[in-house]
């Protein structure tokens, strides 16, 4: 048994849900944040952990880019107090990285830092912890999913069939017998665009059918299709 995989390591957390994608830029962080807000709106005590080492965007999406979490000493251990925004506990690897410098950690160092931050955070009474995983299917992701006691994974993809190869690899990774994390379903993002002036029209800018194809192929659910929203970029930055 790996050093983290035991659920007892997280006595304050009831469920851990990972949000994953094959490629970057498909809306994984946007979905993670909105999922956290949706759960909080339903009355669940919610937390989010941004483990996207290549582009930690959670601090910006929460308006916490100048936040420096406090580190306290608890007995022998140092613990990090997560930021709190709209009742959501927020921890991001981005709080500890210089935004002007790319993350230069290699695979093993990166995954052990990511695990350590998760363990060292002083989470308090959480129904759902959402983890925004790094994109791809590489070593970092594999080690994280092997070691963190995930209760389920949600896969984010665009409708483009061409981009599905990587996404399929990540679904297969969750289903692999050594990882064995239930895939809760697929969210297809950027499914179509409807101009404000023509509300009855749908333009399938990135192709069609990728989410449904993936859900059927892996016998899971297509949980949602999210259209392109004009202004989401600006709203996210704000
Ligand atoms: P990832 O975490 O997969 O890299 P992000 O969530 O950071 O992706 O999204 C990438 C970019 O696409 C961001 O600028 C985001 O605002 C934008 N975006 C994501 N989903 C949508 C959408 N449905 N409509 C419009 N823009 C979107």
């Amino acid at each position: 048994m790996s050093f983290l995989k035991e659920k007892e390591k997280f006595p304050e957390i009831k469920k851990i849900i990972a949000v994953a994608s094959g490629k970057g830029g498909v809306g994984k962080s946007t979905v993670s944040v909105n999922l956290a807000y949706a759960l909080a709106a339903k009355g669940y005590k919610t937390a989010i952990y941004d483990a996207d080492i290549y582009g930690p965007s959670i601090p910006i999406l929460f308006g916490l880019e100048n936040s420096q979490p406090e580190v306290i000493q608890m007995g022998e251990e140092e613990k990090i107090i997560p930021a709190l925004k709209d009742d959501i506990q927020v921890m991001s690897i981005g709080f500890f990285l210089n935004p002007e410098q790319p993350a230069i950690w290699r695979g093993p160092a990166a995954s052990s830092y990511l695990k350590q931050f998760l363990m060292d955070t002083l989470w308090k009474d959480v129904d759902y912890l959402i983890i925004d995983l790094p994109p791809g299917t590489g070593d970092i992701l594999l080690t994280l999913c092997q070691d963190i006691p995930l209760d389920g994974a949600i896969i984010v993809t665009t409708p483009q069939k061409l981009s599905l190869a990587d996404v399929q690899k990540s679904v297969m990774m969750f289903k692999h017998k050594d990882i064995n994390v239930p895939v809760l379903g697929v969210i297809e993002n950027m499914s179509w665009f409807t101009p404000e002036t023509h509300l009855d029209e749908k333009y399938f800018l990135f192709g069609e059918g990728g989410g449904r194809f993936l859900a059927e192929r892996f016998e899971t659910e297509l949980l949602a299709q999210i259209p392109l929203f004009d202004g989401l970029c600006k709203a996210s930055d704000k």
Side-chain angles (χ1 to χ4, degrees), residues 2 16 47 66 69 74 94 109-110 121 142 144 216 220 224 228:
S2 53
I16 307 183
N66 297 319
M74 281 181 72
T121 300
L142 191 71
L144 278 180
E216 280 170 9
T220 183
L228 277 156

Side-chain angles (χ1 to χ4, degrees), residues 24-30 52 57 189-190 226-229 232-233 236:
V26 301
K28 184 175 48 60
S29 303
T30 306
D52 186 350
S57 46
N189 188 29
M190 310 187 183
I226 305 174
L228 277 156
F229 286 105
L232 185 78
C233 262
S236 301

Side-chain angles (χ1 to χ4, degrees), residues 81-187:
I81 307 207
L84 192 66
K85 182 74 184 279
D86 299 325
D87 277 336
I88 300 172
Q89 298 169 52
V90 184
M91 180 49 67
S92 169
I93 195 76
F95 290 146
F96 302 94
L97 297 175
N98 178 345
E100 274 135 45
Q101 272 174 4
I104 49 161
W105 300 331
R106 290 178 204 285
S111 39
S112 76
Y113 274 122
L114 289 171
K115 283 182 281 185
Q116 203 60 49
F117 275 123
L118 178 67
M119 298 269 295
D120 290 349
T121 300
L122 202 60
W123 306 106
K124 273 261 182 286
D125 190 18
V126 177
D127 291 319
Y128 285 102
L129 171 70
I130 306 297
I131 303 191
D132 184 2
L133 287 175
T137 52
D139 275 358
I140 300 179
L141 192 72
L142 191 71
T143 322
L144 278 180
C145 295
Q146 230 162 7
D147 287 352
I148 299 173
L150 298 174
D151 291 286
I154 291 174
I155 312 293
V156 181
T157 185
T158 63
Q160 192 181 12
K161 293 217 172 101
L162 240 188
S163 70
L164 287 182
D166 273 353
V167 198
Q168 295 192 51
K169 272 191 222 156
S170 58
V171 179
M172 282 187 301
M173 182 202 72
F174 288 116
K175 287 183 167 264
H176 190 278
K177 63 175 174 31
D178 294 341
I179 307 276
N180 200 18
V181 171
V183 174
L184 304 175
V186 174
I187 294 184

